[in-house]
Amino acid sequence: MNFSRRKVLQLLPVVTGGVAMGDFDFLMIDNQKKVLDGVRSFFQKVANKDGTFRPGKANDYAGNSDTKFSGIAAPTYAVVIHKTFGWELPYEQETIDFFLSCQKEDGAFYAPTGEGDMELPLAKLYNTVQSVAALKILGIEPKYDPTPVITYFFEGNRFQDLPLYTTSFFALFYSAWRSEMPSNIDEKMRGYLMDNQTEDGYIGDHVASTFHAAHYYRLIGEETPLAEEMVKRVLKDQKEDGSWSLHQPDWDVHAVYDALFVLKQVGGVANRKREIKQAYRKANEWILKCQKEDGGFSHFPGNEPSDVDAVYFHVGALVESGYLQPIKGIENEEIYGWGHLMNPDETYNCLI
């Protein structure tokens, strides 16, 4: 049977995790380039001259998930994606100035826009962790010491008032900051995770919270408890369409990324390489259906607009599965976003 070039391009998503097959190498590269060219073009459309980024193309689009919650999210994800592929930001110095302008003398970062109450502890935690990591990637120090934002949560166990999906925020902060994470924080956090983990390895019956647990253990250089059980459930929960959309959209908005992180970073101990490879293929097919004509991604296939939040998590997932390749020689790879560049064969440790 003869295939036209167009037909072959249509079939490309079924090739697993960026692994080319013989003469199809050049076509895979062509399709990956098309995906990335679209993403870069989308970021140019949403870039503001003051260094910020809108969640989507329309000025009145409020964003979804992280970009809806905080005006720091879109600039952070723009930094992460641009540096993942070696691109220069449209207005890089202005983006640096934006992050620095968001920090106050208490050490916390405050987003100028977003639906979240920026004075609440959750917003301070999210904005501070994201900003410190983004500035580290850009090679810039914050104006003030941000550690009081973190230590606040371990005075009287206030961290337990946060959602379970925030557990790895603390390890990510210290991975990006210039000092190691204190042992008392690690002890409390590990005890908290153990108290909330069930026999199937999951945290809070939620793939996002489970991802953050796996992310936490990877950042402190320890094996993830109940790793095999965790991977088994992640594989079992993947839907036939390749997604992990098991609950309402706002609950599973980043589920594919979260699941792929677990499979890549924890799956090596489970001896399920063939199943994981198949899961990658199905996930890639689903993700590529989310890319829009403007080059961006929506969170789900359909009519939703492209969103910087979706762009980060879907592009990050395509990197996790091996479908997209980052630039070589990236330093501090563990602080890029939520770990899409982490090497499962490397040990990271923010405790030392």
Side-chain angles (χ1 to χ4, degrees):
M1 180 181 295
N2 293 323
F3 288 93
S4 67
R5 180 179 175 85
R6 178 183 295 274
K7 181 62 176 177
V8 172
L9 285 172
Q10 291 173 341
L11 293 174
L12 282 174
V14 304
V15 182
T16 300
V19 179
M21 299 188 300
D23 293 338
F24 286 68
D25 283 2
F26 76 99
L27 293 175
M28 279 299 302
I29 293 171
D30 188 36
N31 199 54
Q32 292 161 352
K33 182 177 184 300
K34 180 180 177 182
V35 171
L36 290 178
D37 285 348
V39 168
R40 193 172 188 183
S41 174
F42 174 73
F43 273 116
Q44 291 170 347
K45 295 182 180 78
V46 300
N48 298 317
K49 291 183 178 180
D50 64 359
T52 61
F53 289 80
R54 300 184 303 282
K57 289 193 304 179
N59 289 330
D60 60 350
Y61 176 62
N64 192 357
S65 192
D66 296 358
T67 53
K68 187 175 184 179
F69 176 71
S70 169
I72 281 176
T76 298
Y77 293 147
V79 169
V80 169
I81 291 298
H82 279 74
K83 299 308 179 181
T84 291
F85 299 106
W87 304 336
E88 187 165 341
L89 289 155
Y91 306 99
E92 186 156 317
Q93 185 57 53
E94 289 78 5
T95 298
I96 291 171
D97 293 342
F98 164 74
F99 281 110
L100 293 175
S101 73
C102 291
Q103 191 181 29
K104 296 183 180 180
E105 291 185 10
D106 64 356
F109 287 75
Y110 297 81
T113 59
E115 72 167 11
D117 184 341
M118 297 303 134
E119 294 291 338
L120 291 180
L122 175 59
K124 290 183 182 181
L125 175 65
Y126 176 86
N127 289 326
T128 301
V129 172
Q130 294 288 63
S131 298
V132 169
L135 286 171
K136 177 74 172 183
I137 293 168
L138 292 165
I140 303 296
E141 286 267 333
K143 293 185 295 183
Y144 308 105
D145 180 2
T147 54
V149 177
I150 304 301
T151 56
Y152 163 87
F153 291 99
F154 295 89
E155 299 166 358
N157 294 331
R158 292 171 175 147
F159 68 92
Q160 295 186 12
D161 297 329
L162 295 167
L164 281 168
Y165 62 74
T166 61
T167 52
S168 72
F169 283 40
F170 303 101
L172 179 58
F173 172 85
Y174 283 104
S175 295
W177 188 234
R178 57 178 179 238
S179 63
E180 67 271 12
M181 184 165 72
S183 58
N184 70 301
I185 292 180
D186 176 48
E187 290 170 4
K188 288 186 176 183
M189 188 54 61
R190 278 204 250 185
Y192 185 56
L193 287 170
M194 290 182 64
D195 288 344
N196 283 279
Q197 189 174 33
T198 53
E199 293 181 356
D200 60 3
Y202 261 45
I203 305 290
D205 196 32
H206 188 197
V207 70
S209 298
T210 304
F211 149 70
H212 279 285
H215 189 217
Y216 180 86
Y217 284 106
R218 288 290 289 122
L219 288 172
I220 65 168
E222 296 289 340
E223 290 188 6
T224 302
L226 298 176
E228 186 166 354
E229 291 82 357
M230 185 184 291
V231 170
K232 181 179 179 181
R233 176 164 173 189
V234 167
L235 289 169
K236 176 178 174 291
D237 281 352
Q238 188 178 28
K239 295 177 65 176
E240 190 59 36
D241 65 4
S243 75
W244 277 267
S245 302
L246 305 176
H247 305 287
Q248 63 268 30
D250 62 336
W251 188 248
D252 283 342
V253 67
H254 304 144
V256 172
Y257 178 96
D258 299 338
L260 290 184
F261 182 94
V262 172
L263 295 182
K264 181 174 183 178
Q265 299 296 330
V266 180
V269 303
N271 196 27
R272 294 174 175 271
K273 290 184 178 180
R274 184 173 181 178
E275 290 176 87
I276 291 173
K277 186 176 181 180
Q278 291 173 340
Y280 285 170
R281 176 185 59 78
K282 292 171 64 177
N284 288 343
E285 292 177 10
W286 185 87
I287 292 169
L288 291 173
K289 292 176 183 176
C290 296
Q291 189 166 30
K292 316 293 284 188
E293 290 185 2
D294 59 16
F297 283 79
S298 58
H299 287 96
F300 303 95
N303 296 323
E304 297 85 358
S306 293
D307 189 302
V308 171
D309 181 87
V311 171
Y312 167 69
F313 283 99
H314 286 331
V315 171
L318 290 173
V319 171
E320 287 180 320
S321 72
Y323 187 87
L324 295 177
Q325 298 299 317
I327 191 174
K328 294 181 179 179
I330 293 177
E331 297 180 352
N332 304 120
E333 61 191 29
E334 71 272 29
I335 71 171
Y336 280 66
W338 298 105
H340 65 279
L341 292 179
M342 294 176 74
N343 181 349
D345 297 323
E346 185 170 338
T347 298
Y348 306 92
N349 195 336
C350 65
L351 297 173
I352 58 176

